[in-house]
Amino acid sequence: MAELTLEVSRREEAGKGPAGRLRREGKVPAVVYGGHREAVPITVDRKAVTDLIQRSEHGVRSIFLLKMAGTDQQRHAMIKDMQIDPISRKMMHIDFVRIVMDEVIRTTVPVHLSGSAAGVKEGGILDFQVRDLHIECLPNAIPDEIEVDISALGMHQYLRISDLKLPQGIKVLDDADRVVVGVTHMRAEELPAAPTEAVPAEAVPTEPEVIPRGKKPEEETEE
């Protein structure tokens, strides 16, 4: 996995006010922690980190080489968490976790299903239960996803974690007996509605129509 170089700056001020000013300037408040060292508050350029993520085939699971502006300090890190504004869809805050390239780390990767299950073609229902796996591996061995071919999956058949074909060097931390995906029972046939006897209109009680009054959405507060 190729690393992405990102210049960062130390963040001296904390709180909502300074964080808001940084965001208006196109910056994103962030923090780097882990690696048996103290957490360091930093600032990254929003456009720079967005461009790196979009260009990388690994996206937010990329390995970053964080270089502190004005110093020779640098550290490998990965994005642990990212807060996104629900309205503007802009980054609000990023948590980076330090990593050492020759030490295993724990992370999660998505499960991707490929093919069309034979049992579904026969009328069954696909039951996709595990969409993310917790894994342990070296940083440069993290896969973008775990692909699961379900083409041969018949009616009432299931694939468990122990059945998955994993890339070399990947250890799954979840229960090996846990079902990832399966094909359940046939779809129930639609039954015709039972006929009902006509009821005279005068025998049916009437009620006033209730029109709910909508509530105004709460104003979002800046972090």
Side-chain angles (χ1 to χ4, degrees):
M1 179 185 295
E3 65 185 23
L4 308 177
T5 301
L6 178 65
E7 183 176 271
V8 303
S9 301
R10 184 177 289 274
R11 180 160 49 96
E12 303 297 342
E13 297 182 289
K16 294 182 179 180
R21 288 194 296 272
L22 287 172
R23 295 185 184 109
R24 288 191 291 272
E25 297 170 358
K27 309 293 183 182
V28 181
V31 64
V32 186
Y33 62 90
H36 307 290
R37 297 178 59 185
E38 293 183 357
V40 177
I42 61 173
T43 300
V44 301
D45 183 84
R46 180 186 294 120
K47 185 177 185 305
V49 68
T50 300
D51 288 347
L52 287 176
I53 291 174
Q54 291 178 345
R55 291 204 312 264
S56 172
E57 60 179 327
H58 302 287
V60 294
R61 292 181 175 81
S62 300
I63 297 174
F64 293 85
L65 179 61
L66 304 182
K67 290 190 173 183
M68 188 69 72
T71 73
D72 58 356
Q73 300 177 18
Q74 58 184 32
R75 171 68 64 174
H76 286 102
M78 295 185 68
I79 293 177
K80 181 69 173 179
D81 186 42
M82 181 187 298
Q83 297 177 18
I84 304 294
D85 184 276
I87 304 300
S88 66
R89 306 307 301 167
K90 292 182 178 180
M91 298 177 188
M92 300 291 289
H93 191 277
I94 303 175
D95 287 357
F96 290 96
V97 60
R98 300 183 184 98
I99 61 172
V100 179
M101 297 303 292
D102 58 357
E103 292 183 3
V104 296
I105 62 172
R106 293 183 175 183
T107 186
T108 60
V109 293
V111 176
H112 173 70
L113 304 183
S114 63
S116 299
V120 172
K121 297 177 182 179
E122 298 171 2
I125 300 174
L126 189 69
D127 185 14
F128 189 7
Q129 297 187 21
V130 176
R131 297 176 182 269
D132 294 279
L133 292 175
H134 297 82
I135 67 168
E136 185 178 82
C137 64
L138 291 173
N140 58 4
I142 301 173
D144 291 332
E145 61 188 17
I146 301 297
E147 184 172 344
V148 180
D149 186 0
I150 61 172
S151 302
L153 203 59
M155 188 72 67
H156 301 299
Q157 291 185 339
Y158 300 87
L159 288 175
R160 303 180 185 276
I161 289 179
S162 58
D163 299 321
L164 303 183
K165 296 180 180 179
L166 302 172
Q168 186 175 3
I170 304 298
K171 177 183 178 182
V172 177
L173 304 176
D174 301 290
D175 184 358
D177 290 330
R178 188 176 178 187
V179 172
V180 176
V181 61
V183 179
T184 61
H185 55 77
M186 301 281 287
R187 295 188 180 92
E189 295 183 0
E190 294 185 3
L191 298 177
T196 57
E197 296 182 359
V199 180
E202 60 271 18
V204 180
T206 60
E207 295 182 358
E209 180 182 6
V210 178
I211 302 177
R213 298 180 61 184
K215 296 182 179 180
K216 295 183 179 179
E218 297 181 359
E219 294 183 359
E220 296 185 359
T221 58
E222 187 178 26
E223 182 184 326

